Amino acid sequence: MLNLERLRVLDALARHGSVSGAAEGLHVTTSAVSQQMTKLEREAGQQLLAKRGRGVRLTDAGRLLAEHAARILSQVELAQSDLEAQRGQVVGELRLSAFPTAARGLFPGALAALRAEHPQLRVRSQEVEPEAAVAEVIRGDLDLAVVLDWYNKPMPMPEGLVKANILDDPTDIAMPVDHPLADRREVDLTDFADDEWITWGGGEFCDEWLMFTLRAKGVEPQIAHRAAETHTQLALVAAGLGVCVVPLLGRDPMPAGVATVPVRQRVRRHVYVVWRADADRRPSIRAAVRALQKVGADLGRLAER
């Protein structure tokens, strides 16, 4: 009889590609992973791992069993989801993530509402960038992830995921209050061709969007500073060190010395939440989505004023 938890370890090895990666994903030690794999090989009666340099690789038998393990674990998740749905109670543990401004703008209100309405639900949250968060949902390391698209640059969405809209997040340009364009009612991105930009870390989805959008308008951006957090970017703007894109979500409180002006073409981020299709019927998933959407709707009404 094949042990389910050992199949889970094999699945993690196949997904992460290394013993250390599997251990990190499962929150166990590398020796625990190795011990479970040794026991699984005895149960299977075949060698599942082979040495490759200082690491390991899956044998043909290991890859075959890993494919079955992924399907078995998906069916177990579906069974658990159905049982929760049949019971109809919002209980257990829910692991969710959001990119930093969504965590700041959505999580305090949504998670407080979940705690008040469903005291038996244990929620664990963390900040994770969108592309990494989607991968963690697929692996089963997260139950839900708040992610984003830009209006002109959608993020690829793998099969097997369900999504629900949270809000369309309007975006302005933040600049020092003494900037020549600070008193405008609207601006174009091309108005800042000669300005220095403050942006996100290189290679991040939002930074790639900014480079793509400015270059599509014939502007080669002059990147002066990079910062992951919106409020760090705004502090640099307040110091007169450049301009930045600033969404509504998570921007408050706005520091003194910063002016924000809407973009004429209405630059927006589409913020939504994703989860695995085989967990779709879990009441805890549904409760969390409703709580996030309520906060998102409140922010959307605020943006329309």
Side-chain angles (χ1 to χ4, degrees), residues 204-224:
E204 290 186 12
F205 183 70
C206 289
D207 176 67
E208 290 180 351
W209 164 81
L210 181 62
M211 302 300 104
F212 168 81
T213 302
L214 290 174
R215 287 168 179 160
K217 294 179 177 295
V219 176
E220 183 56 36
Q222 303 177 50
I223 305 303

Side-chain angles (χ1 to χ4, degrees), residues 4-284:
L4 181 62
E5 290 308 311
R6 288 168 199 147
L7 289 177
R8 199 180 301 278
V9 172
L10 176 63
D11 176 66
L13 263 171
R15 289 187 284 102
H16 292 279
S18 68
V19 171
S20 59
E24 183 177 353
L26 294 169
H27 307 292
V28 299
T29 64
T30 55
S31 62
V33 170
S34 298
Q35 290 169 16
Q36 291 283 24
M37 287 304 302
T38 299
K39 293 176 180 177
L40 184 59
E41 286 183 326
R42 285 202 298 268
E43 291 172 353
Q46 296 191 60
Q47 184 179 357
L48 304 176
L49 296 179
K51 289 189 177 297
R52 180 176 61 189
R54 294 184 177 179
V56 296
R57 62 173 177 82
L58 292 178
T59 63
D60 289 344
R63 284 195 296 272
L64 177 63
L65 186 55
E67 291 173 3
H68 284 289
R71 289 193 292 270
I72 290 167
L73 293 170
S74 179
Q75 283 299 119
V76 169
E77 176 104 19
L78 184 59
Q80 291 173 333
S81 178
D82 284 346
L83 283 172
E84 281 191 32
Q86 196 271 341
R87 189 169 60 232
Q89 295 179 333
V90 181
V91 297
E93 182 172 279
L94 190 70
R95 302 158 299 170
L96 70 164
S97 76
F99 55 96
T101 53
R104 181 184 180 91
L106 296 172
F107 276 2
L111 302 191
L114 279 174
R115 172 175 285 187
E117 295 171 18
H118 308 289
Q120 291 183 284
L121 179 66
R122 299 185 305 277
V123 178
R124 301 289 180 262
S125 71
Q126 58 183 307
E127 291 184 358
V128 182
E129 290 297 330
E131 290 176 309
V134 168
E136 290 196 34
V137 171
I138 292 171
R139 292 198 304 263
D141 298 333
L142 286 170
D143 298 306
L144 287 165
V146 178
V147 298
L148 65 89
D149 284 334
W150 287 93
Y151 73 104
N152 60 342
K153 189 176 176 60
M155 186 173 69
M157 190 57 54
E159 293 183 2
L161 296 182
V162 180
K163 62 187 288 187
N165 291 328
I166 302 299
L167 80 156
D168 280 352
D169 190 19
T171 299
D172 301 334
I173 303 299
M175 62 199 81
V177 290
D178 58 358
H179 192 282
L181 303 179
D183 60 351
R184 292 272 191 93
R185 292 186 63 183
E186 292 180 322
V187 291
D188 290 317
L189 289 175
T190 52
D191 293 336
F192 301 93
D194 296 326
D195 283 270
E196 292 188 324
W197 283 88
I198 301 161
T199 182
W200 297 268
E204 290 186 12
F205 183 70
C206 289
D207 176 67
E208 290 180 351
W209 164 81
L210 181 62
M211 302 300 104
F212 168 81
T213 302
L214 290 174
R215 287 168 179 160
K217 294 179 177 295
V219 176
E220 183 56 36
Q222 303 177 50
I223 305 303
H225 307 285
R226 294 184 179 276
E229 292 285 348
T230 295
H231 281 76
T232 303
Q233 294 181 15
L234 290 172
L236 294 169
V237 171
L241 298 174
V243 301
C244 76
V245 171
V246 56
L248 173 68
L249 189 60
R251 74 166 67 170
D252 292 331
M254 185 69 68
V258 176
T260 60
V261 182
V263 179
R264 187 169 289 110
Q265 292 79 17
R266 290 294 180 263
V267 175
R268 289 180 179 269
R269 306 189 301 180
H270 307 306
V271 181
Y272 53 99
V273 60
V274 299
W275 63 96
R276 286 167 56 121
D278 54 20
D280 192 42
R281 296 186 63 198
R282 287 178 58 189
S284 57

